[in-house]
């Protein structure tokens, strides 16, 4: 790493934290090991386990959610702070048990998803209520079956990005002029994307979900990845 990049990452560490801060609207460490998952942000919501989702001790940091790729989910109800018309950054550690197209996070039907494409690349997309493709972004690096740090950055009406392991994989700025991003009145799913033709369920583990209502910078995202690797190797 060059001195300049190292300095930028060090400066980023002063701006972003792995704990909850004033811009955090959801933070799930996913270390409970039993029952539902607790949000330690100021919103204090609950992510409810469904379909037989279980806990594993083999998480990226301590424990994690283990999802079977069939019907397991963890759901967060609609709320005013969970509005996709606002700036968003979402970070999560994920591990795929198989190489296939899957979704590890979404917001209701046709609205938003983060996951892996059929060609094993990181991807994210956002749609309007009537199906317009507001943004779609697919990276170029294979995800594989090891732990990966995924980050989605959404600047509504401007761009959507996806990072993997601290590296920017894709930026999409081709927003539809008629696009209306999903609001607060829909459920957030961990582990699936509801779809009329069949849900895409995550087959693997999910850990350390952190959501901010601001746009994290590239150095901040790299810091989150590097600090996570150092803490959990």
């Amino acid at each position: 790493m060059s001195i300049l990049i190292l300095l930028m990452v060090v400066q980023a560490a002063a701006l972003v934290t792995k704990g909850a801060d004033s811009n955090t609207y959801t933070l799930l460490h996913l270390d409970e090991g039993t029952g539902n998952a607790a949000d330690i942000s100021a919103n204090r919501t609950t992510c409810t386990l469904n379909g037989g989702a279980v806990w594993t001790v083999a998480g990226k940091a301590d424990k994690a959610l283990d999802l079977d790729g069939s019907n397991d989910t963890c759901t967060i109800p609609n709320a005013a702070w969970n509005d996709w018309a606002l700036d968003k950054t979402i970070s999560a550690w994920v591990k795929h048990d198989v190489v296939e197209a899957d979704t590890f996070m979404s917001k209701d039907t046709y609205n938003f998803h983060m996951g892996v494409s059929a060609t094993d690349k990181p991807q994210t997309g956002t749609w309007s209520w009537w199906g317009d493709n507001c943004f779609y972004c697919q990276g170029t690096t294979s995800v594989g079956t090891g732990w990966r740090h995924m980050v989605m950055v959404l600047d509504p009406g401007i761009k959507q990005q996806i990072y993997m392991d601290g590296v920017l994989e894709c930026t999409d700025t081709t927003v539809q002029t008629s696009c209306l991003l999903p609001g607060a009145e829909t459920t957030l799913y961990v582990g699936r994307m509801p779809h009329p033709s069949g849900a895409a369920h995550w087959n693997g583990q999910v850990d350390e979900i952190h959501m901010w209502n601001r746009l994290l910078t590239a150095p901040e995202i790299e810091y989150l990845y590097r600090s996570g690797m150092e803490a959990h190797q």
Side-chain angles (χ1 to χ4, degrees), residues 1 3-19 21 23 166 212 214-227:
M1 185 187 301
I3 301 252
L4 177 59
I5 294 176
L6 179 60
L7 178 60
M8 292 173 66
V9 172
V10 170
Q11 291 173 334
L15 299 176
V16 67
T17 173
K18 291 185 291 182
D21 59 28
N23 295 114
W212 295 262
R214 73 174 180 90
L215 309 177
L216 265 62
T217 65
E220 288 175 319
I221 292 168
E222 183 176 359
Y223 165 74
L224 287 173
Y225 165 66
R226 292 185 179 279
S227 62

Side-chain angles (χ1 to χ4, degrees), residues 139-163:
T140 59
T141 305
S142 294
V143 175
T145 55
W147 281 104
R148 294 289 198 174
H149 185 235
M150 299 283 200
V151 177
M152 184 281 297
V153 178
L154 174 63
D155 188 351
I158 305 296
K159 67 181 179 181
Q160 188 164 0
Q161 298 175 307
I162 190 162
Y163 289 74

Side-chain angles (χ1 to χ4, degrees), residues 187-232:
T187 300
L188 183 71
Y189 292 88
V190 176
R192 76 180 286 234
M193 180 175 69
H195 197 284
S197 63
H201 285 85
W202 186 254
N203 190 341
Q205 294 77 50
V206 181
D207 203 0
E208 296 295 324
I209 298 173
H210 199 157
M211 307 182 190
W212 295 262
N213 58 7
R214 73 174 180 90
L215 309 177
L216 265 62
T217 65
E220 288 175 319
I221 292 168
E222 183 176 359
Y223 165 74
L224 287 173
Y225 165 66
R226 292 185 179 279
S227 62
M229 288 298 294
E230 291 168 2
H232 309 310

